[in-house]
Amino acid sequence: MMKSVIQLSILPMGMINSFVIKGTKKHILVDSGIPRSEEEILFQLKSHGIDKKDIGLIIITHGHIDHFGSAAELKLKLGVPLLIHALDAVALRTGKSMVETLKPNKKFWNILKRKLIRDVATPCEPDIILNGDCNYDLNEWGIDGKIIHTPGHTPGSLSVILSDGNAIIVDLASSGILLGGIMFYSRMKHPPFHDDLTALKKSIEKVLKEKADKFYLGHGGPVSRKDLMHYLARFL
């Protein structure tokens, strides 16, 4: 069976990830890493045997610069539309992380927060803007799946649910130590920041109702359904 999701590590060991969803018509790139990641992403696409001409869409899952940092450059190089939720679209338009959503889960992460606030990406205009509690079908690209609204990490955070049991939930959780991805890959935890922990818990419950059994994360992962359920059970 063809692997439907390919993880691209922007930083070593999965500390920052982007993804490719393979479709029968076109493929979809999910997230664009930190600024100046475009060449690394294009290199990794080629190393996986994916022609950049076969990418048909870029999904930006949320408005933090480690996920949209190279969006403008990749939009230009790939010649494809950018999709984001309306509540996070300001990040693409300004090239800056949504500062008000960078609420550290531990004081230690204030160090990273200062860097994320300083970093600036090339601003660009999104082409497809989702609104509200969306349920966006990916059939146009030959992918049996959908994008859903999963707020909590940011107000406009998006997740991708595929019918084959794979899901990309990015920063609803992370795994490993430090930023994520370093050792203990199934050990789940909060990523450095969340905007609204109550909304986040509801979003995790929402993706679990979709019956996916493998969850790809923005930092670390992938993790199993059992791992995610255990994380939810001890959620603080």
Side-chain angles (χ1 to χ4, degrees):
M1 179 184 249
M2 180 180 72
K3 188 175 182 181
S4 65
V5 178
I6 297 172
Q7 180 172 305
L8 309 177
S9 292
I10 308 306
L11 290 183
M13 296 179 286
M15 285 188 285
I16 297 179
N17 299 317
S18 294
F19 305 92
V20 174
I21 304 171
K22 300 191 78 173
T24 57
K25 298 176 184 176
K26 289 283 186 177
H27 309 318
I28 293 176
L29 178 66
V30 179
D31 284 345
S32 64
I34 56 178
R36 295 172 293 281
S37 295
E38 62 274 10
E39 293 303 327
E40 176 62 27
I41 288 173
L42 292 173
F43 172 80
Q44 290 196 42
L45 289 177
K46 187 176 181 179
S47 70
H48 285 286
I50 296 174
D51 192 320
K52 65 180 183 179
K53 294 179 182 178
D54 291 330
I55 301 293
L57 175 70
I58 302 171
I59 297 171
I60 299 299
T61 60
H62 64 281
H64 290 161
I65 202 165
D66 53 328
H67 294 268
F68 73 84
S70 300
E73 289 77 12
L74 285 166
K75 175 182 176 179
L76 182 63
K77 288 179 178 292
L78 297 174
V80 299
L82 279 174
L83 180 151
I84 196 168
H85 195 279
L87 293 175
D88 283 26
V90 64
L92 281 180
R93 290 173 174 143
T94 63
K96 299 179 181 179
S97 289
M98 300 169 66
V99 176
E100 68 278 7
T101 69
L102 294 172
K103 300 173 184 176
N105 289 313
K106 292 184 179 179
K107 290 183 179 180
F108 171 82
W109 292 118
N110 278 305
I111 298 170
L112 180 58
K113 178 178 179 178
R114 289 193 287 271
K115 174 173 172 50
L116 292 177
I117 291 172
R118 289 195 307 268
D119 285 354
V120 179
T122 304
C124 61
E125 183 64 25
D127 304 283
I128 303 172
I129 300 175
L130 305 186
N131 290 279
D133 189 21
C134 55
N135 194 320
Y136 188 82
D137 196 329
L138 297 175
N139 184 62
E140 180 179 343
W141 293 274
I143 294 170
D144 190 2
K146 61 186 177 180
I147 302 170
I148 62 173
H149 183 215
T150 50
H153 184 64
T154 67
S157 287
L158 298 171
S159 295
V160 182
I161 309 294
L162 303 175
S163 64
D164 64 0
N166 288 306
I168 301 173
I169 64 171
V170 197
D171 284 6
L172 294 190
S174 68
S175 73
I177 60 175
L178 295 177
L179 185 60
I182 303 174
M183 301 174 62
F184 304 111
Y185 301 115
S186 64
R187 181 184 293 177
M188 300 196 65
K189 59 175 186 160
H190 292 332
F193 312 100
H194 281 318
D195 177 52
D196 184 330
L197 288 170
T198 300
L200 182 84
K201 185 175 181 180
K202 291 179 180 178
S203 288
I204 295 172
E205 291 170 345
K206 182 177 182 178
V207 299
L208 284 168
K209 287 179 182 177
E210 296 288 342
K211 297 181 170 47
D213 52 31
K214 188 173 185 179
F215 299 87
Y216 289 86
L217 308 175
H219 308 281
V223 296
S224 69
R225 183 178 186 83
K226 181 180 179 181
D227 293 332
L228 187 59
M229 291 178 71
H230 181 65
Y231 171 66
L232 181 64
R234 59 184 175 82
F235 195 93
L236 297 174

